[in-house]
Amino acid sequence: MSQQLGGQQILILKEGTNRTRGRDAQGMNITAAMAVASAVRTTLGPKGMDKMLVDTIGDVVITNDGVTILKEMDIEHPAAKMMVEVAKTQDDEVGDGTTTAVVIGGELLKKAEALLEQDVHPTIIAAGYRQAAEKAQELLKDIAFDVKPTDKAMLKKIAETAMTGKSAESSKDKLCELVVKAVTMVADADGTVDTDNIKVEKKTGGSIDDSEIVEGVLIDKERVHPAMPKKVTNAKLLLLNAAVEFKKTEVDAEINITHPEQLQAFLDEEERMVKGIVEKIVASGANVLFCQKGIDDIAQHYLAKAGIFAVRRVKKSDMEKLARATGGSLVSSIDAISKDELGKAGLVEERKVSGEEMTFVEQCKNPKAVSIIIRGGTEHVVDELERAIHDALRVVAVVVEDKKVVAGGGAPETELSLRLREYAASVGGRAQLAIEAFASALEIIPRTLAENAGLDPIDMLVEIRAAHEKGKKTYGLNVYEGKIIDMKAAGVVEPLRVKTQAISSAAEAAIMILRIDDVIASSKSPAPAPGAGGMPPGMGGMGGMGGMGDY
Ligand code: ADP
Ligand code: MG
């Protein structure tokens, strides 16, 4: 980047730096963000399609889940990354509605672009969008209805809506029952639900219908030695994050052995040391050992002899779940082993699940520990089931916490759109244009639901709008029959938080992107590709160059 000054060139930015300004910068950012939205649009709704993602080492993921798709895609453009963040925030806050959030964000930018073309200043659009987003929150609370956290039938419907369109669909009855049961089991008396208490364990083989719920924690590992007991009642668990083995020297020491007795002495020493560790474990009163690190052969032998049930190389996340469930602490060194650190469980048992041994830790000290075993034909199926269950667990938990739901199928978006238009008229001025744009952007949801179901989006939008104009606030699109029906009565319901969060994070990202009018990219970072067409690298800076005359 350089500047002419009396015939002299002054370099102010490092050579190779790309700079794009004004409308060019906005145009590029908007195009990139919209590209992200259009990438996930076809997956929206019950009739949405799946995507197959293949990573650089050839691993395949087949999914319908917005956030998973975007996480797997290697997105580089900074504005596009902001849209990925929208999906991630949605996933963290609610666990569902990720596609919705990104699609709304993309549409907000598309409508903004049209306004920019009419020379409406970006700050006016941003301010109008912010006003509209705030009003939308208020309106949404107005159209939401209450749910009792004990209303299991309703909770099941919420889980079902979250699962619709995923490959889990055929068995959703069974899976949603498990989900509702699991959430109600871990719900606190004060209404808070920590879904971290629910462990989802996948197992290929068997059918989806064999999936089950286990009160306790399930570890996908078997005991290390066949001579160990298969079942321990009144278990006292040691959760150890240190290896049970002979400590190898740090430096490469060479041991010169000249006599056979010396070798024996060396081996004896090794055995004595390992035996010492096992004795320490026994002395603590533990009868079950979960070790995050290794347990060597000699240690396995002595542990088996002492009648201890031991599992090695347990995942860190599993160790944390075990600590929570049994009330034990994670012990990080052999010296720290003591009876005060042990956890408690009524039963630890190794059992077969679809031909493979797993360790069940049941009747835990903390009764809120629950596991769901998901079964399914292939790895891709169980992976997608796991994602569907994750979404369903989260939405049910959110409703148990918030006790507020809205109808689905495009009903809330249509109602909001209508009311925001009325609101826009009352605001007047230039902001009115932006609020109206916001209102029509929300209709992307019913429109996309219709498109993905192979229905005529214009016809459907006209019909759904007409219903809402008549005051039928919960009417939405029955994607299977192409009819406008009462979604609440049909049992298509979603947590209110899915919508409030989707709209607020979509609006935030759109506003942030709109307010950028200067992109300065240093040469190392990838040049923001201008649009999908992709100009050669370096061209991105041309816009800025052209603008030089403005100085
Ligand atoms: P997201 O990632 O946004 O959750 P989904 O693919 O799960 O995307 O689609 C969610 C949309 O599908 C919501 O608008 C929801 O209301 C709608 N939907 C879910 N089930 C039905 C149904 N049975 N009929 C009509 N719309 C539905
Ligand atoms: Mg969903």
Side-chain angles (χ1 to χ4, degrees):
M1 193 60 41
S2 61
Q3 172 115 329
Q4 285 302 133
L5 210 109
Q8 219 183 347
Q9 255 205 345
I10 302 167
L11 289 172
I12 54 164
L13 292 172
K14 211 165 152 183
E15 199 146 351
T17 304
N18 253 322
R19 184 166 182 192
T20 324
R21 292 186 299 160
R23 277 291 285 126
D24 288 315
Q26 271 153 0
M28 267 167 38
N29 283 338
I30 291 176
T31 312
M34 274 165 45
V36 173
S38 69
V40 293
R41 240 190 99 177
T42 53
T43 68
L44 186 83
K47 294 260 186 150
M49 303 297 277
D50 294 354
K51 282 190 194 290
M52 179 189 266
L53 301 145
V54 187
D55 70 8
T56 44
I57 52 167
D59 275 348
V60 175
V61 175
I62 299 171
T63 184
N64 173 282
D65 190 43
V67 71
T68 309
I69 295 168
L70 295 177
K71 274 187 193 160
E72 295 282 331
M73 281 165 68
D74 219 351
I75 290 176
E76 259 184 4
H77 193 286
K81 276 185 175 161
M82 286 163 81
M83 297 297 277
V84 179
E85 284 308 311
V86 169
K88 286 188 185 161
T89 311
Q90 182 77 17
D91 192 42
D92 289 344
E93 298 289 325
V94 213
D96 189 24
T98 53
T99 315
T100 304
V102 172
V103 167
I104 292 178
E107 193 66 11
L108 284 173
L109 286 167
K110 188 174 164 191
K111 300 284 180 203
E113 180 143 63
L115 289 177
L116 289 172
E117 258 152 37
Q118 296 167 38
D119 278 333
V120 180
H121 198 272
T123 53
I124 293 184
I125 307 175
Y129 273 12
R130 179 155 290 133
Q131 221 175 328
E134 272 164 24
K135 186 74 187 170
Q137 300 291 326
E138 211 179 283
L139 294 170
L140 270 171
K141 289 203 183 84
D142 220 33
I143 54 177
F145 42 95
D146 297 328
V147 168
K148 283 205 188 74
T150 48
D151 186 347
K152 293 221 172 130
M154 184 56 113
L155 294 181
K156 195 170 160 216
K157 294 213 167 82
I158 290 150
E160 279 174 8
T161 306
M163 243 183 231
T164 319
K166 315 259 183 240
S167 45
E169 178 126 29
S170 52
S171 310
K172 77 179 174 185
D173 193 48
K174 160 97 188 192
L175 293 177
C176 290
E177 216 152 80
L178 293 182
V179 164
V180 171
K181 204 168 151 200
V183 173
T184 8
M185 278 161 81
V186 303
D188 279 326
D190 65 355
T192 55
V193 184
D194 189 349
T195 46
D196 280 344
N197 279 319
I198 303 169
K199 183 167 190 282
V200 179
E201 194 61 62
K202 302 177 277 191
K203 202 88 220 165
T204 45
S207 83
I208 299 179
D209 289 317
D210 297 329
S211 303
E212 58 177 322
I213 207 162
V214 176
E215 268 182 70
V217 184
L218 201 61
I219 307 290
D220 189 9
K221 294 262 171 194
E222 56 187 333
R223 66 205 203 285
V224 288
H225 199 285
M228 288 176 176
K230 254 198 159 169
K231 182 174 173 178
V232 177
T233 49
N234 248 328
K236 293 190 184 61
L237 301 89
L238 172 63
L239 309 173
L240 187 63
N241 181 17
V244 186
E245 60 192 15
F246 179 64
K247 219 197 202 131
K248 292 174 192 78
T249 45
E250 292 281 322
V251 280
D252 262 338
E254 198 173 301
I255 302 166
N256 281 317
I257 291 171
T258 45
H259 293 288
E261 303 89 71
Q262 278 176 317
L263 177 66
Q264 196 52 50
F266 180 73
L267 292 177
D268 286 349
E269 168 60 19
E270 183 177 337
E271 192 163 337
R272 204 181 51 75
M273 198 200 127
V274 173
K275 204 173 161 189
I277 301 175
V278 173
E279 273 163 7
K280 223 173 162 135
I281 295 171
V282 174
S284 75
N287 50 15
V288 174
L289 167 67
F290 283 99
C291 187
Q292 201 177 323
K293 303 253 166 76
I295 300 177
D296 74 7
D297 292 349
I298 303 175
Q300 289 176 18
H301 167 78
Y302 282 114
L303 285 166
K305 240 173 124 175
I308 293 178
F309 181 116
V311 180
R312 67 172 163 177
R313 306 222 177 274
V314 180
K315 275 190 287 179
K316 183 163 180 261
S317 59
D318 284 353
M319 292 295 278
E320 282 158 4
K321 285 238 154 70
L322 283 168
R324 255 175 108 110
T326 64
S329 11
L330 297 173
V331 178
S332 53
S333 81
I334 303 290
D335 294 329
I337 297 172
S338 93
K339 76 172 195 326
D340 306 330
E341 315 288 327
L342 303 184
K344 284 200 184 80
L347 176 70
V348 173
E349 189 179 17
E350 186 183 286
R351 291 207 290 265
K352 267 203 170 92
V353 176
S354 82
E356 273 176 66
E357 308 291 352
M358 290 179 103
T359 300
F360 290 70
V361 180
E362 295 175 319
Q363 300 154 33
C364 297
K365 192 174 171 201
N366 171 10
K368 296 214 182 308
V370 169
S371 301
I372 297 177
I373 317 181
I374 319 175
R375 307 278 299 274
T378 72
E379 203 183 311
H380 297 141
V381 171
V382 280
D383 284 352
E384 181 69 345
L385 281 181
E386 186 191 20
R387 285 187 284 270
I389 294 225
H390 159 86
D391 285 11
L393 283 171
R394 294 290 310 280
V395 290
V396 174
V398 161
V399 171
V400 169
E401 282 185 4
D402 294 357
K403 305 170 190 69
K404 293 257 179 218
V405 293
V406 291
E413 290 86 359
T414 311
E415 184 65 21
L416 272 184
S417 175
L418 203 69
R419 300 220 196 161
L420 279 176
R421 276 205 191 88
E422 288 164 11
Y423 171 67
S426 77
V427 171
R430 284 185 170 222
Q432 177 173 352
L433 290 177
I435 300 171
E436 273 166 4
F438 194 102
S440 56
L442 293 177
E443 284 183 330
I444 189 68
I445 298 300
R447 175 192 284 269
T448 308
L449 288 174
E451 270 176 29
N452 288 351
L455 300 164
D456 186 303
I458 308 279
D459 287 352
M460 290 300 131
L461 263 189
V462 169
E463 278 187 49
I464 192 170
R465 257 188 219 153
H468 282 258
E469 272 158 9
K470 282 187 211 124
K472 297 175 172 173
K473 293 179 197 167
T474 52
Y475 273 55
L477 179 61
N478 177 339
V479 289
Y480 306 100
E481 292 170 20
K483 289 194 184 113
I484 305 304
I485 59 160
D486 185 352
M487 284 291 156
K488 187 183 170 190
V492 179
V493 275
E494 296 181 89
L496 168 65
R497 211 196 292 175
V498 168
K499 301 297 172 190
T500 51
Q501 183 64 45
I503 289 174
S504 75
S505 35
E508 248 166 56
I511 291 167
M512 205 186 273
I513 290 171
L514 273 176
R515 291 179 54 92
I516 299 168
D517 79 336
D518 197 350
V519 178
I520 304 161
S522 58
S523 56
K524 254 189 260 148
S525 81
M535 277 194 249
M539 292 293 277
M542 295 301 280
M545 298 290 213
M548 280 292 112
D550 300 346
Y551 281 108

PDB file of all heavy atoms in Angstrom, residues 183-212:
ATOM      1  N   VAL A 183     -33.374 -36.676  30.708  1.00  0.00           N
ATOM      2  CA  VAL A 183     -33.381 -35.288  31.184  1.00  0.00           C
ATOM      3  C   VAL A 183     -34.150 -35.176  32.498  1.00  0.00           C
ATOM      4  O   VAL A 183     -33.699 -34.504  33.430  1.00  0.00           O
ATOM      5  CB  VAL A 183     -33.958 -34.323  30.114  1.00  0.00           C
ATOM      6  CG1 VAL A 183     -34.126 -32.923  30.686  1.00  0.00           C
ATOM      7  CG2 VAL A 183     -33.055 -34.279  28.894  1.00  0.00           C
ATOM      8  N   THR A 184     -35.300 -35.850  32.584  1.00  0.00           N
ATOM      9  CA  THR A 184     -36.056 -35.750  33.839  1.00  0.00           C
ATOM     10  C   THR A 184     -35.277 -36.370  34.989  1.00  0.00           C
ATOM     11  O   THR A 184     -35.378 -35.918  36.127  1.00  0.00           O
ATOM     12  CB  THR A 184     -37.444 -36.438  33.724  1.00  0.00           C
ATOM     13  OG1 THR A 184     -37.532 -37.129  32.497  1.00  0.00           O
ATOM     14  CG2 THR A 184     -38.573 -35.467  33.835  1.00  0.00           C
ATOM     15  N   MET A 185     -34.477 -37.389  34.686  1.00  0.00           N
ATOM     16  CA  MET A 185     -33.687 -38.010  35.748  1.00  0.00           C
ATOM     17  C   MET A 185     -32.615 -37.082  36.298  1.00  0.00           C
ATOM     18  O   MET A 185     -32.288 -37.126  37.484  1.00  0.00           O
ATOM     19  CB  MET A 185     -33.031 -39.303  35.242  1.00  0.00           C
ATOM     20  CG  MET A 185     -33.970 -40.498  35.287  1.00  0.00           C
ATOM     21  SD  MET A 185     -33.405 -41.821  34.206  1.00  0.00           S
ATOM     22  CE  MET A 185     -32.184 -42.578  35.207  1.00  0.00           C
ATOM     23  N   VAL A 186     -32.042 -36.250  35.421  1.00  0.00           N
ATOM     24  CA  VAL A 186     -30.952 -35.392  35.908  1.00  0.00           C
ATOM     25  C   VAL A 186     -31.410 -33.988  36.323  1.00  0.00           C
ATOM     26  O   VAL A 186     -30.601 -33.208  36.816  1.00  0.00           O
ATOM     27  CB  VAL A 186     -29.789 -35.266  34.885  1.00  0.00           C
ATOM     28  CG1 VAL A 186     -29.246 -36.626  34.520  1.00  0.00           C
ATOM     29  CG2 VAL A 186     -30.216 -34.514  33.649  1.00  0.00           C
ATOM     30  N   ALA A 187     -32.697 -33.687  36.096  1.00  0.00           N
ATOM     31  CA  ALA A 187     -33.176 -32.340  36.429  1.00  0.00           C
ATOM     32  C   ALA A 187     -33.120 -32.116  37.937  1.00  0.00           C
ATOM     33  O   ALA A 187     -33.484 -32.980  38.725  1.00  0.00           O
ATOM     34  CB  ALA A 187     -34.601 -32.153  35.925  1.00  0.00           C
ATOM     35  N   ASP A 188     -32.633 -30.930  38.332  1.00  0.00           N
ATOM     36  CA  ASP A 188     -32.597 -30.582  39.750  1.00  0.00           C
ATOM     37  C   ASP A 188     -33.967 -30.098  40.188  1.00  0.00           C
ATOM     38  O   ASP A 188     -34.792 -29.719  39.365  1.00  0.00           O
ATOM     39  CB  ASP A 188     -31.581 -29.466  39.994  1.00  0.00           C
ATOM     40  CG  ASP A 188     -30.175 -30.008  40.070  1.00  0.00           C
ATOM     41  OD1 ASP A 188     -30.029 -31.143  40.566  1.00  0.00           O
ATOM     42  OD2 ASP A 188     -29.252 -29.308  39.637  1.00  0.00           O
ATOM     43  N   ALA A 189     -34.180 -30.084  41.507  1.00  0.00           N
ATOM     44  CA  ALA A 189     -35.464 -29.638  42.036  1.00  0.00           C
ATOM     45  C   ALA A 189     -35.746 -28.184  41.659  1.00  0.00           C
ATOM     46  O   ALA A 189     -36.884 -27.802  41.421  1.00  0.00           O
ATOM     47  CB  ALA A 189     -35.484 -29.799  43.548  1.00  0.00           C
ATOM     48  N   ASP A 190     -34.691 -27.379  41.568  1.00  0.00           N
ATOM     49  CA  ASP A 190     -34.894 -25.967  41.232  1.00  0.00           C
ATOM     50  C   ASP A 190     -35.075 -25.730  39.735  1.00  0.00           C
ATOM     51  O   ASP A 190     -35.123 -24.591  39.278  1.00  0.00           O
ATOM     52  CB  ASP A 190     -33.748 -25.116  41.768  1.00  0.00           C
ATOM     53  CG  ASP A 190     -32.425 -25.452  41.108  1.00  0.00           C
ATOM     54  OD1 ASP A 190     -32.388 -26.408  40.318  1.00  0.00           O
ATOM     55  OD2 ASP A 190     -31.422 -24.766  41.374  1.00  0.00           O
ATOM     56  N   GLY A 191     -35.132 -26.805  38.957  1.00  0.00           N
ATOM     57  CA  GLY A 191     -35.425 -26.673  37.533  1.00  0.00           C
ATOM     58  C   GLY A 191     -34.218 -26.595  36.618  1.00  0.00           C
ATOM     59  O   GLY A 191     -34.352 -26.619  35.405  1.00  0.00           O
ATOM     60  N   THR A 192     -33.012 -26.522  37.195  1.00  0.00           N
ATOM     61  CA  THR A 192     -31.851 -26.481  36.307  1.00  0.00           C
ATOM     62  C   THR A 192     -31.483 -27.896  35.851  1.00  0.00           C
ATOM     63  O   THR A 192     -31.686 -28.865  36.583  1.00  0.00           O
ATOM     64  CB  THR A 192     -30.625 -25.841  36.987  1.00  0.00           C
ATOM     65  OG1 THR A 192     -30.387 -26.546  38.196  1.00  0.00           O
ATOM     66  CG2 THR A 192     -30.828 -24.381  37.274  1.00  0.00           C
ATOM     67  N   VAL A 193     -30.985 -27.964  34.643  1.00  0.00           N
ATOM     68  CA  VAL A 193     -30.612 -29.259  34.093  1.00  0.00           C
ATOM     69  C   VAL A 193     -29.197 -29.153  33.552  1.00  0.00           C
ATOM     70  O   VAL A 193     -28.902 -28.276  32.749  1.00  0.00           O
ATOM     71  CB  VAL A 193     -31.537 -29.656  32.918  1.00  0.00           C
ATOM     72  CG1 VAL A 193     -31.180 -31.044  32.424  1.00  0.00           C
ATOM     73  CG2 VAL A 193     -32.983 -29.593  33.333  1.00  0.00           C
ATOM     74  N   ASP A 194     -28.340 -30.047  34.009  1.00  0.00           N
ATOM     75  CA  ASP A 194     -26.984 -30.061  33.480  1.00  0.00           C
ATOM     76  C   ASP A 194     -26.848 -31.304  32.608  1.00  0.00           C
ATOM     77  O   ASP A 194     -26.717 -32.415  33.119  1.00  0.00           O
ATOM     78  CB  ASP A 194     -25.985 -30.083  34.640  1.00  0.00           C
ATOM     79  CG  ASP A 194     -24.574 -29.888  34.148  1.00  0.00           C
ATOM     80  OD1 ASP A 194     -24.378 -29.950  32.912  1.00  0.00           O
ATOM     81  OD2 ASP A 194     -23.675 -29.679  34.973  1.00  0.00           O
ATOM     82  N   THR A 195     -26.888 -31.109  31.283  1.00  0.00           N
ATOM     83  CA  THR A 195     -26.846 -32.286  30.409  1.00  0.00           C
ATOM     84  C   THR A 195     -25.468 -32.952  30.419  1.00  0.00           C
ATOM     85  O   THR A 195     -25.307 -34.026  29.856  1.00  0.00           O
ATOM     86  CB  THR A 195     -27.255 -31.936  28.960  1.00  0.00           C
ATOM     87  OG1 THR A 195     -26.576 -30.756  28.566  1.00  0.00           O
ATOM     88  CG2 THR A 195     -28.743 -31.753  28.827  1.00  0.00           C
ATOM     89  N   ASP A 196     -24.491 -32.324  31.085  1.00  0.00           N
ATOM     90  CA  ASP A 196     -23.194 -32.978  31.230  1.00  0.00           C
ATOM     91  C   ASP A 196     -23.294 -34.239  32.084  1.00  0.00           C
ATOM     92  O   ASP A 196     -22.413 -35.089  32.064  1.00  0.00           O
ATOM     93  CB  ASP A 196     -22.177 -32.028  31.879  1.00  0.00           C
ATOM     94  CG  ASP A 196     -21.621 -31.053  30.863  1.00  0.00           C
ATOM     95  OD1 ASP A 196     -21.784 -31.315  29.662  1.00  0.00           O
ATOM     96  OD2 ASP A 196     -21.043 -30.038  31.283  1.00  0.00           O
ATOM     97  N   ASN A 197     -24.374 -34.322  32.857  1.00  0.00           N
ATOM     98  CA  ASN A 197     -24.570 -35.524  33.664  1.00  0.00           C
ATOM     99  C   ASN A 197     -24.996 -36.716  32.809  1.00  0.00           C
ATOM    100  O   ASN A 197     -25.042 -37.836  33.285  1.00  0.00           O
ATOM    101  CB  ASN A 197     -25.653 -35.282  34.718  1.00  0.00           C
ATOM    102  CG  ASN A 197     -25.107 -34.537  35.915  1.00  0.00           C
ATOM    103  OD1 ASN A 197     -24.004 -34.810  36.371  1.00  0.00           O
ATOM    104  ND2 ASN A 197     -25.880 -33.593  36.422  1.00  0.00           N
ATOM    105  N   ILE A 198     -25.365 -36.443  31.572  1.00  0.00           N
ATOM    106  CA  ILE A 198     -25.827 -37.529  30.707  1.00  0.00           C
ATOM    107  C   ILE A 198     -24.703 -37.911  29.751  1.00  0.00           C
ATOM    108  O   ILE A 198     -24.215 -37.089  28.990  1.00  0.00           O
ATOM    109  CB  ILE A 198     -27.069 -37.095  29.900  1.00  0.00           C
ATOM    110  CG1 ILE A 198     -28.172 -36.635  30.860  1.00  0.00           C
ATOM    111  CG2 ILE A 198     -27.553 -38.231  29.012  1.00  0.00           C
ATOM    112  CD1 ILE A 198     -29.326 -35.939  30.190  1.00  0.00           C
ATOM    113  N   LYS A 199     -24.305 -39.162  29.838  1.00  0.00           N
ATOM    114  CA  LYS A 199     -23.221 -39.615  28.979  1.00  0.00           C
ATOM    115  C   LYS A 199     -23.826 -40.394  27.821  1.00  0.00           C
ATOM    116  O   LYS A 199     -24.648 -41.276  28.019  1.00  0.00           O
ATOM    117  CB  LYS A 199     -22.300 -40.526  29.786  1.00  0.00           C
ATOM    118  CG  LYS A 199     -21.102 -41.001  29.025  1.00  0.00           C
ATOM    119  CD  LYS A 199     -20.094 -41.625  29.982  1.00  0.00           C
ATOM    120  CE  LYS A 199     -18.785 -41.889  29.289  1.00  0.00           C
ATOM    121  NZ  LYS A 199     -18.775 -43.067  28.455  1.00  0.00           N
ATOM    122  N   VAL A 200     -23.450 -40.028  26.628  1.00  0.00           N
ATOM    123  CA  VAL A 200     -23.970 -40.736  25.460  1.00  0.00           C
ATOM    124  C   VAL A 200     -22.854 -41.629  24.929  1.00  0.00           C
ATOM    125  O   VAL A 200     -21.771 -41.155  24.589  1.00  0.00           O
ATOM    126  CB  VAL A 200     -24.451 -39.752  24.380  1.00  0.00           C
ATOM    127  CG1 VAL A 200     -24.964 -40.513  23.170  1.00  0.00           C
ATOM    128  CG2 VAL A 200     -25.529 -38.842  24.942  1.00  0.00           C
ATOM    129  N   GLU A 201     -23.108 -42.919  24.935  1.00  0.00           N
ATOM    130  CA  GLU A 201     -22.090 -43.882  24.502  1.00  0.00           C
ATOM    131  C   GLU A 201     -22.575 -44.554  23.225  1.00  0.00           C
ATOM    132  O   GLU A 201     -23.695 -45.022  23.140  1.00  0.00           O
ATOM    133  CB  GLU A 201     -21.886 -44.901  25.628  1.00  0.00           C
ATOM    134  CG  GLU A 201     -20.667 -45.761  25.511  1.00  0.00           C
ATOM    135  CD  GLU A 201     -19.349 -44.992  25.511  1.00  0.00           C
ATOM    136  OE1 GLU A 201     -19.023 -44.316  26.508  1.00  0.00           O
ATOM    137  OE2 GLU A 201     -18.655 -45.076  24.492  1.00  0.00           O
ATOM    138  N   LYS A 202     -21.715 -44.549  22.202  1.00  0.00           N
ATOM    139  CA  LYS A 202     -22.115 -45.127  20.921  1.00  0.00           C
ATOM    140  C   LYS A 202     -21.617 -46.562  20.812  1.00  0.00           C
ATOM    141  O   LYS A 202     -20.560 -46.886  21.323  1.00  0.00           O
ATOM    142  CB  LYS A 202     -21.473 -44.354  19.767  1.00  0.00           C
ATOM    143  CG  LYS A 202     -21.813 -42.905  19.736  1.00  0.00           C
ATOM    144  CD  LYS A 202     -21.071 -42.214  18.618  1.00  0.00           C
ATOM    145  CE  LYS A 202     -19.667 -41.837  19.033  1.00  0.00           C
ATOM    146  NZ  LYS A 202     -19.008 -40.936  18.082  1.00  0.00           N
ATOM    147  N   LYS A 203     -22.398 -47.387  20.127  1.00  0.00           N
ATOM    148  CA  LYS A 203     -21.946 -48.752  19.891  1.00  0.00           C
ATOM    149  C   LYS A 203     -22.519 -49.229  18.557  1.00  0.00           C
ATOM    150  O   LYS A 203     -23.742 -49.293  18.397  1.00  0.00           O
ATOM    151  CB  LYS A 203     -22.456 -49.655  21.033  1.00  0.00           C
ATOM    152  CG  LYS A 203     -21.662 -50.904  21.210  1.00  0.00           C
ATOM    153  CD  LYS A 203     -20.496 -50.687  22.143  1.00  0.00           C
ATOM    154  CE  LYS A 203     -19.289 -51.419  21.633  1.00  0.00           C
ATOM    155  NZ  LYS A 203     -18.041 -51.041  22.223  1.00  0.00           N
ATOM    156  N   THR A 204     -21.668 -49.525  17.630  1.00  0.00           N
ATOM    157  CA  THR A 204     -22.191 -50.032  16.358  1.00  0.00           C
ATOM    158  C   THR A 204     -22.575 -51.487  16.522  1.00  0.00           C
ATOM    159  O   THR A 204     -22.000 -52.203  17.328  1.00  0.00           O
ATOM    160  CB  THR A 204     -21.158 -49.915  15.205  1.00  0.00           C
ATOM    161  OG1 THR A 204     -19.914 -50.355  15.707  1.00  0.00           O
ATOM    162  CG2 THR A 204     -21.037 -48.509  14.713  1.00  0.00           C
ATOM    163  N   GLY A 205     -23.536 -51.903  15.738  1.00  0.00           N
ATOM    164  CA  GLY A 205     -24.061 -53.262  15.851  1.00  0.00           C
ATOM    165  C   GLY A 205     -25.403 -53.193  16.539  1.00  0.00           C
ATOM    166  O   GLY A 205     -25.605 -52.373  17.426  1.00  0.00           O
ATOM    167  N   GLY A 206     -26.316 -54.054  16.114  1.00  0.00           N
ATOM    168  CA  GLY A 206     -27.656 -54.015  16.677  1.00  0.00           C
ATOM    169  C   GLY A 206     -28.457 -52.935  15.977  1.00  0.00           C
ATOM    170  O   GLY A 206     -27.963 -52.278  15.059  1.00  0.00           O
ATOM    171  N   SER A 207     -29.693 -52.762  16.419  1.00  0.00           N
ATOM    172  CA  SER A 207     -30.512 -51.769  15.745  1.00  0.00           C
ATOM    173  C   SER A 207     -30.758 -50.594  16.670  1.00  0.00           C
ATOM    174  O   SER A 207     -30.531 -50.677  17.873  1.00  0.00           O
ATOM    175  CB  SER A 207     -31.837 -52.378  15.310  1.00  0.00           C
ATOM    176  OG  SER A 207     -32.733 -52.362  16.399  1.00  0.00           O
ATOM    177  N   ILE A 208     -31.239 -49.511  16.085  1.00  0.00           N
ATOM    178  CA  ILE A 208     -31.495 -48.302  16.862  1.00  0.00           C
ATOM    179  C   ILE A 208     -32.414 -48.622  18.040  1.00  0.00           C
ATOM    180  O   ILE A 208     -32.261 -48.074  19.126  1.00  0.00           O
ATOM    181  CB  ILE A 208     -32.121 -47.219  15.952  1.00  0.00           C
ATOM    182  CG1 ILE A 208     -31.144 -46.874  14.834  1.00  0.00           C
ATOM    183  CG2 ILE A 208     -32.496 -45.989  16.741  1.00  0.00           C
ATOM    184  CD1 ILE A 208     -31.643 -45.842  13.851  1.00  0.00           C
ATOM    185  N   ASP A 209     -33.353 -49.554  17.803  1.00  0.00           N
ATOM    186  CA  ASP A 209     -34.327 -49.889  18.847  1.00  0.00           C
ATOM    187  C   ASP A 209     -33.696 -50.561  20.063  1.00  0.00           C
ATOM    188  O   ASP A 209     -34.314 -50.652  21.116  1.00  0.00           O
ATOM    189  CB  ASP A 209     -35.436 -50.768  18.275  1.00  0.00           C
ATOM    190  CG  ASP A 209     -36.336 -49.963  17.350  1.00  0.00           C
ATOM    191  OD1 ASP A 209     -36.671 -48.821  17.722  1.00  0.00           O
ATOM    192  OD2 ASP A 209     -36.669 -50.448  16.262  1.00  0.00           O
ATOM    193  N   ASP A 210     -32.479 -51.058  19.911  1.00  0.00           N
ATOM    194  CA  ASP A 210     -31.796 -51.665  21.058  1.00  0.00           C
ATOM    195  C   ASP A 210     -31.144 -50.621  21.953  1.00  0.00           C
ATOM    196  O   ASP A 210     -30.567 -50.956  22.981  1.00  0.00           O
ATOM    197  CB  ASP A 210     -30.702 -52.635  20.582  1.00  0.00           C
ATOM    198  CG  ASP A 210     -31.271 -53.797  19.786  1.00  0.00           C
ATOM    199  OD1 ASP A 210     -32.414 -54.182  20.085  1.00  0.00           O
ATOM    200  OD2 ASP A 210     -30.598 -54.297  18.862  1.00  0.00           O
ATOM    201  N   SER A 211     -31.220 -49.365  21.544  1.00  0.00           N
ATOM    202  CA  SER A 211     -30.637 -48.301  22.368  1.00  0.00           C
ATOM    203  C   SER A 211     -31.328 -48.303  23.722  1.00  0.00           C
ATOM    204  O   SER A 211     -32.511 -48.596  23.815  1.00  0.00           O
ATOM    205  CB  SER A 211     -30.842 -46.939  21.703  1.00  0.00           C
ATOM    206  OG  SER A 211     -30.292 -46.955  20.415  1.00  0.00           O
ATOM    207  N   GLU A 212     -30.578 -48.009  24.762  1.00  0.00           N
ATOM    208  CA  GLU A 212     -31.188 -48.043  26.093  1.00  0.00           C
ATOM    209  C   GLU A 212     -30.579 -47.013  27.030  1.00  0.00           C
ATOM    210  O   GLU A 212     -29.583 -46.383  26.726  1.00  0.00           O
ATOM    211  CB  GLU A 212     -31.067 -49.445  26.695  1.00  0.00           C
ATOM    212  CG  GLU A 212     -29.631 -49.897  26.799  1.00  0.00           C
ATOM    213  CD  GLU A 212     -29.487 -51.259  27.458  1.00  0.00           C
ATOM    214  OE1 GLU A 212     -30.223 -51.542  28.409  1.00  0.00           O
ATOM    215  OE2 GLU A 212     -28.616 -52.033  27.031  1.00  0.00           O
TER     216      GLU A 212
END
